[in-house]
Every structure is written in C-alpha cells, then in structure tokens.
Amino acid sequence: MIEMLNFAFMQRALLAALLVGIAAPAVGIYLVQRRQAIMGDGIGHVALTGVALGFLLSANPVWMAVLVSSLGAIAMELIRWYGKARGDIALAMLFYGGMAGGVMIINLAPNGSNANLTTYLFGSITTVSAEDIVAIVGLSVFVLLVSLGLRRQLFAICQDEEFARVTGLPVRLLNLLLAVTAAVTVTVAMRVVGLLLVSALMVIPVAAAQQATRGFAATLGLSVGFGVVVTLSGTVTSYFVDVPPGASIVVLAIVLFGVVTALAAPLARRRFRAAHPGGTGGKDSREDLRGEGGDASEADGGKAATGARGGVRTDGAAGTDRPSRV
C-alpha cells in the first residue's frame, strides 16, 4: 500500500482528497440545516458549463467552473428572494440549463467532445495536476475561512432567518456568501468525486454525524472526520480496484452512514431510558409523558410550545424542535 505514495499523481490525489474531505462537510452542514441538500447537484450542473467554457476559451477549467458556478448560485438566491418562482424551480433551472450548456459548449470547443467531461463528471485520480492542486488548496482555504470563521452567523441564518435579521445580521449578504462558498466547494471536489456525486459528499457525512452527536460543534467536527475517512479510503480503493474515485467514495460514505445509524440506535434508546427511568418504552411510558406535559401546556395556554419555537437555546439554536442536532 505504501508503494503507491511513490507515484506523484497519487500524492496529488491523496492531498486533493484530504482537502475535499474537510471542505465538503464543512459547507454541507449548513445546506443540510436549510434543507437544501441537493443544492450541490444544481451547482455541479452549472459548473459543468464552466468546465466546457474552459475548454472552449483555452482557460483553466477549474477557475472557469468557480466563476460560472458562483454566478449560478447567486442567480438562484436572487430568484428565491425576488422572483415569483419557488426555490425548487430555481434548482431545476440550474440542473437542466447547466447540463445542457456544458454539453453544447464542449462540442463547440476545438477537439472537444463529451469524453472531455467524463473526468469532471465522475472524478479521476490520475488527472489531478500540480496546477489543480494549487487551485484546490487556495479554494479550500477560502471555504474553511468562511464556514468556520463565520460559523455562528451562518448557523443563525440557517436556523431562523427572521430571528437572525432581528439581531442585526446581514442575512442577504450571508446567504449570498454561503451560496458562493457552496459553489466553490463543488469545484474543489469535482476532480476527486466528480460533479455528479459531489452533493453526496456534502450531505452523507453530515447525516451520519447527526446520528451520533447532539451539538453543532460536535456534528461539524465529526462530519469533517467522516469526510476525510471516506475520501482517503475511496481514493485508495480506486487505485487498487481501478474504479472511479467518486463512486468508491460515495459507496463508502453510504456504508459508513448505515454503520453509524445501526450503532447509534441502541445509544439513543439508552439515553431515552436514562432520561425517563420510570418509563418502559411502551404504552405506559407514553402515558407518563402525556401526563407530565399535557396538563401543563394546556394550563399555560400553549406558552411552552411557543417558547420551543421562538426561544433561544444556550447552544445558539433558535426556534427548532431539535436545535442541538443541527
């Protein structure tokens, strides 16, 4: 296994995988919180147009993809704010327009064909160049500075935009910054995972971490750890098995999610029993819970429910049923 490190392309591939494993979940946790888990797919399709423009204009496809996908993400946010179209329609336009534009433009490029897009659609460890590494490092630093440096502000707007606006946060600016950061993350990951599968790497490690943690910081840290594990493992697997790295990374991420979910279920039951030692987990337990909470909520005229929706928790979450899970 160590012998693969003698190859320069594997050194570059593993470094790129490490950076992607850190950056993708760091942004994905905010998209999951906003229920925009498939946003990465839409941006990925737009990035395909940027890659094709790079071939057409003889420019670096990575930087061109950053520019085009960032503009697409900003356009989606503007449509969501000002347009009559709903967010899902904006995503659909990103999906289909980006894919169609990429396929059309690549065929207009000199010596261009759909085969040129394959390594960007599914990832390829053998084609990560030194120039790509420079771009990936720079973009990853930007992603981490935004996602970690502004984590409190971003978490606030993802949790409750109205509450964040009342507190004085620049909600629209932060929304645009998050959209651009997601677009940058997609282009960072496209050389390793591929544009068609990058959204899975932004979502699955976060979903797995949520099964085992109860706070935002813990979820963020564990999801990044999961991301690093699956990207490095998937890249190594693709070297030995000769399969696309994106496919192996996503399959390993799904397997990891299944394992964590299976292990977390008994732990959740144990926590419930510890919190309700008098309950049996069955009918009697449910009756006890109703007896403890039902009369109080009726007597308070629904104040408890209102507080749960609008109150501010000490962990920074506002207005959710399960604020500590993110």
Side-chain angles (χ1 to χ4, degrees):
M1 180 178 292
I2 299 179
E3 65 180 9
M4 70 178 179
L5 296 178
N6 295 327
F7 299 101
F9 76 90
M10 278 305 299
Q11 296 174 7
R12 294 192 295 268
L14 290 172
L15 176 58
L18 175 64
L19 295 173
V20 169
I22 296 173
V27 174
I29 190 171
Y30 302 109
L31 301 183
V32 171
Q33 179 68 8
R34 297 182 67 173
R35 292 185 173 91
Q36 293 181 336
I38 63 172
M39 182 178 179
D41 279 331
I43 295 175
H45 286 67
V46 175
L48 189 65
T49 297
V51 171
L53 279 174
F55 282 103
L56 178 64
L57 303 176
S58 299
N60 187 316
V62 175
W63 291 110
M64 190 60 69
V66 170
L67 175 62
V68 174
S69 61
S70 297
L71 292 175
I74 292 174
M76 187 191 70
E77 280 296 316
L78 294 177
I79 291 172
R80 187 172 69 90
W81 289 342
Y82 301 112
K84 295 181 180 180
R86 295 178 300 172
D88 56 344
I89 297 178
L91 278 175
M93 289 189 290
L94 285 175
F95 268 61
Y96 306 128
M99 180 65 76
V103 173
M104 182 179 67
I105 293 173
I106 194 63
N107 284 280
L108 296 176
N111 301 320
S113 67
N114 293 339
N116 298 117
L117 299 179
T118 302
T119 57
Y120 294 91
L121 288 173
F122 300 102
S124 175
I125 61 173
T126 62
T127 59
V128 179
S129 64
E131 187 178 4
D132 290 334
I133 288 295
V134 173
I136 291 172
V137 170
L139 295 173
S140 297
V141 170
F142 168 77
V143 169
L144 293 177
L145 286 176
V146 173
S147 59
L148 299 181
L150 298 176
R151 63 187 182 277
R152 294 182 184 277
Q153 293 86 343
L154 294 177
F155 178 71
I157 66 168
C158 293
Q159 193 76 7
D160 190 335
E161 284 193 5
E162 293 301 324
F163 177 79
R165 186 175 290 108
V166 170
T167 61
L169 290 177
V171 173
R172 291 184 177 178
L173 179 61
L174 289 171
N175 277 325
L176 286 175
L177 182 60
L178 181 59
V180 171
T181 305
V184 171
T185 305
V186 168
T187 56
V188 167
M190 68 181 181
R191 301 296 277 150
V192 177
V193 186
L195 293 172
L196 294 182
L197 299 174
V198 63
S199 186
L201 188 58
M202 298 170 73
V203 173
I204 297 177
V206 177
Q210 286 180 331
Q211 307 302 312
T213 57
R214 303 187 67 180
F216 176 74
T219 301
L220 176 60
L222 188 58
S223 61
V224 169
F226 284 161
V228 170
V229 168
V230 297
T231 51
L232 292 180
S233 301
T235 303
V236 172
T237 301
S238 67
Y239 172 80
F240 287 105
V241 184
D242 193 21
V243 295
S248 58
I249 289 171
V250 173
V251 168
L252 288 175
I254 294 174
V255 171
L256 176 64
F257 175 81
V259 171
V260 172
T261 301
L263 295 177
L267 179 61
R269 287 195 295 268
R270 192 176 300 114
R271 286 174 176 170
F272 178 82
R273 293 187 183 122
H276 305 87
T280 60
K283 180 178 179 181
D284 294 339
S285 176
R286 291 193 297 270
E287 290 178 351
D288 291 341
L289 292 175
R290 286 197 299 268
E292 292 174 2
D295 295 339
S297 61
E298 291 176 2
D300 292 340
K303 292 181 180 178
T306 304
R309 289 192 300 271
V312 180
R313 294 288 298 269
T314 56
D315 56 5
T320 66
D321 294 331
R322 303 172 68 185
S324 62
R325 291 292 298 278
V326 182

